[in-house]
């Protein structure tokens, strides 16, 4: 009926649903609350010490912040208090400093090195001031050092060895030993630069490009040297015609070589320092190559000249020795004197501007030692033919020019009439 407001009677299903709900509430409410309370009490008993520790830490942190703020607000009073305490407890301060340094020795040393690297002039000034305050320290230290006989003997032996080495290098025509002393700060700076050089990608790429440029420059100097020198001479002639001042030919030559490399390979991302370093290296390589070429040419020409003039060189060497005896000097080996005379004979037609005197003497000794029996007494006298035969015998015949010869039963090569022997050939 429309508009009927009569309440609906609960059904059996509703009653059962309500009963289940009440039973569920009763089941889940009391045991669950008790279980949660028991679990919280157990957890709280475990967390209580942690909370206590955290509470103490918070209190200590708050106290430190209050003390820091007070010290900042009363800085002069704090410094005065600390000064009085240090004066009253000097022994404790020293003991604390020694213990702290022993515990942090490496950190203190690294911090000191870093400060010396940042301010090198400050420490140099300190050193100068200390030396001015202690003028006789170095002298006294050296005197005490030499009082130890073993130390003094080692120092004298080291000086003698250094002098022997310098004399031996000068005799061999080698440059003296160069010793560059560097400070600890320089060594650390070099080590840092080396680490950066070998680990940085940019440095590696730059080094690769430098190697390419260096190789190309060395090839240009070695292969096109004559052409480049011709261009340098032509430019120098034009400058002289125009009345311009002359320039260094060597610098002009390497400038031409660098231009040729850039024209062939394009631009390089190198600095002027890198280009100058490459030029210096190539110049040294080229000078060494020219020196080796001149030394080989001198050796070859000296061998050929001596082979062709053994008798005459022997006579001149004997005359030279007689002159030495008359002058009151000792005689020298005939062969060595003959080779020196031969060098003087052929010097005019050779270019030896790259060879210093010790290198020329070394070359003479090397050629003389290759043929020790060339100027023996049996070869000093006799006809020109005997001298030539002795010279040919002292030089081994190249393998390509040897021919197989029959050997008789006695193990000797039979000499054929009308033909030259192996020695005469």
């Amino acid at each position: 009926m429309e508009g009927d407001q009569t309440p609906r009677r609960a059904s059996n299903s509703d009653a059962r649903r309500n009963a289940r709900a009440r039973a569920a509430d009763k089941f889940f409410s009391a045991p669950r609350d008790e279980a949660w309370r028991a679990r919280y009490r157990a957890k709280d008993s475990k967390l209580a010490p942690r909370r206590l520790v955290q509470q103490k830490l918070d209190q200590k942190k708050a106290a430190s912040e209050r003390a820091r703020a007070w010290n900042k607000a009363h800085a002069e009073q704090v410094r005065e208090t600390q000064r009085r305490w240090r004066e009253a407890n000097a022994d404790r301060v020293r003991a604390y400093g020694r213990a702290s340094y022993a515990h942090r020795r490496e950190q203190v040393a690294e911090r000191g090195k870093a400060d010396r690297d940042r301010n090198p002039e400050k420490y140099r000034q300190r050193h100068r001031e200390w030396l001015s305050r202690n003028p006789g320290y170095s002298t006294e230290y050296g005197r005490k050092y030499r009082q130890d006989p073993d130390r003094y003997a080692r120092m004298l032996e080291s000086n003698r060895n250094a002098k022997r080495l310098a004399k031996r290098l000068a005799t061999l025509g080698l440059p003296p030993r160069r010793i560059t002393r560097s400070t600890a700060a320089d060594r650390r700076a070099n080590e840092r630069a080396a680490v950066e050089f070998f680990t940085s990608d940019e440095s590696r790429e730059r080094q690769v490009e430098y190697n390419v440029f260096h190789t190309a420059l060395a090839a240009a100097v070695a292969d096109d040297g004559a052409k480049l020198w011709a261009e340098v001479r032509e430019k120098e002639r034009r400058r002289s015609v125009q009345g311009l001042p002359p320039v260094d030919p060597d610098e002009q030559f390497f400038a031409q070589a660098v231009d040729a490399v850039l024209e062939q390979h394009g631009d390089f991302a190198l600095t002027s320092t890198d280009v100058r370093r490459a030029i210096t290296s190539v110049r040294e390589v080229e000078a060494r190559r020219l020196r080796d070429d001149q030394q080989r040419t001198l050796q070859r020409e000296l061998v050929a000249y001596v082979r062709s003039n053994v008798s005459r060189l022997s006579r001149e060497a004997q005359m030279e020795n007689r002159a030495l005896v008359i002058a009151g000097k000792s005689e020298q080996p005939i062969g060595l004197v003959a080779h020196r005379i031969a060098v003087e004979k052929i010097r005019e037609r050779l270019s030896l501007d790259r060879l210093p005197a010790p290198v020329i003497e070394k070359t003479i000794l090397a050629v003389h030692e290759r043929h020790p029996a060339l100027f023996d007494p049996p070869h000093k006298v006799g006809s020109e033919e005997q001298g030539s035969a002795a010279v040919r015998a002292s030089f081994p015949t190249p393998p390509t020019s040897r021919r197989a010869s029959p050997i008789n039963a006695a193990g000797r090569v039979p000499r054929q009439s009308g033909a030259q022997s192996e020695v005469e050939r």
Side-chain angles (χ1 to χ4, degrees), residues 30-220:
R32 182 178 57 187
D33 293 344
E34 183 62 28
W36 277 107
R37 282 192 291 271
R39 188 182 303 174
Y40 178 79
R41 285 193 297 270
K43 185 176 181 181
D44 186 66
S45 63
K46 293 180 181 180
L47 294 179
R50 299 182 184 180
R51 283 200 299 271
L52 183 61
V53 171
Q54 186 62 37
Q55 183 180 4
K56 290 182 178 180
L57 290 176
D58 295 340
Q59 294 175 357
K60 186 176 180 180
K61 183 177 179 180
S64 299
E65 291 178 355
R66 289 194 302 271
R68 191 179 299 109
W70 190 91
N71 291 338
K72 186 176 181 181
H74 306 81
E76 283 294 334
Q77 183 178 351
V78 171
R79 282 194 291 269
E80 182 63 22
T81 303
Q82 291 176 350
R83 185 185 63 78
R84 289 197 303 267
W85 188 89
R86 285 194 297 268
E87 291 177 355
N89 302 272
D91 296 338
R92 292 180 62 182
V93 170
R94 283 193 293 270
Y96 176 78
R98 286 193 293 267
S100 177
Y101 177 74
H103 182 67
R104 301 180 298 109
R105 184 188 302 270
E106 296 181 0
Q107 294 87 336
V108 172
E110 291 298 329
R111 189 168 62 248
K113 292 177 183 178
D115 188 65
R116 286 192 294 273
D117 293 341
R118 285 192 301 268
N119 307 286
E121 188 57 34
K122 179 181 73 174
Y123 287 90
R124 293 194 194 99
Q125 183 64 26
R126 284 186 182 180
H127 182 66
R128 286 192 291 266
E129 292 175 356
W130 186 90
L131 289 179
S132 63
R133 292 194 303 269
N134 303 271
Y137 176 80
S138 300
T139 305
E140 184 64 20
Y141 180 82
R143 187 183 64 80
K144 290 182 180 180
Y145 185 88
R146 289 189 295 272
Q147 284 180 352
D148 189 344
D150 295 336
R151 287 181 175 179
Y152 190 56
R154 287 196 299 268
M155 184 176 65
L156 294 178
E157 182 64 23
S158 176
N159 293 339
R160 285 193 291 268
N161 291 336
K163 291 181 179 179
R164 291 194 197 101
L165 177 61
K167 185 176 181 180
R168 180 172 175 79
L169 292 176
T171 303
L172 296 176
L174 299 175
R177 184 184 180 190
R178 293 184 296 180
I179 300 177
T180 303
R181 300 187 181 277
S182 60
T183 62
D186 294 337
R187 291 193 294 272
R188 289 193 295 270
N190 294 338
E191 184 178 357
R192 289 194 297 269
V195 171
E196 181 182 359
F197 178 81
F198 288 106
T199 57
S200 173
D201 295 337
E202 182 180 357
S203 298
R204 282 198 296 268
E205 293 176 359
R206 180 178 172 185
Q207 184 63 23
V208 169
E209 193 164 359
Y210 171 81
N211 292 336
V212 174
F213 177 78
H214 184 280
T215 304
L217 183 62

Side-chain angles (χ1 to χ4, degrees), residues 6 14 24 26 46 68 80 104-105 107 113 123 150 169 192 235 279 286 289 299 301 311 329 380 382 393 411 414:
T6 304
D14 294 337
K26 184 177 179 181
K46 293 180 181 180
R68 191 179 299 109
E80 182 63 22
R104 301 180 298 109
R105 184 188 302 270
Q107 294 87 336
K113 292 177 183 178
Y123 287 90
D150 295 336
L169 292 176
R192 289 194 297 269
K235 286 188 176 182
I279 290 175
E286 183 66 12
R289 184 185 67 82
Q299 187 171 356
E301 294 293 331
S311 300
K329 299 179 181 179
K380 285 184 180 180

Side-chain angles (χ1 to χ4, degrees), residues 220-233 253 286 289:
V221 170
D223 299 339
D224 304 331
K227 178 182 176 182
L228 294 174
W229 275 116
E231 294 178 0
V232 168
R233 286 190 290 268
F253 171 78
E286 183 66 12
R289 184 185 67 82

Side-chain angles (χ1 to χ4, degrees), residues 303 306-310 374 379 386-395:
V303 168
V306 170
R307 290 179 62 178
S308 303
N309 303 274
V310 175
L374 188 60
H379 301 149
Q386 291 176 343
S388 300
V391 173
R392 296 190 187 96
S394 63
F395 286 86

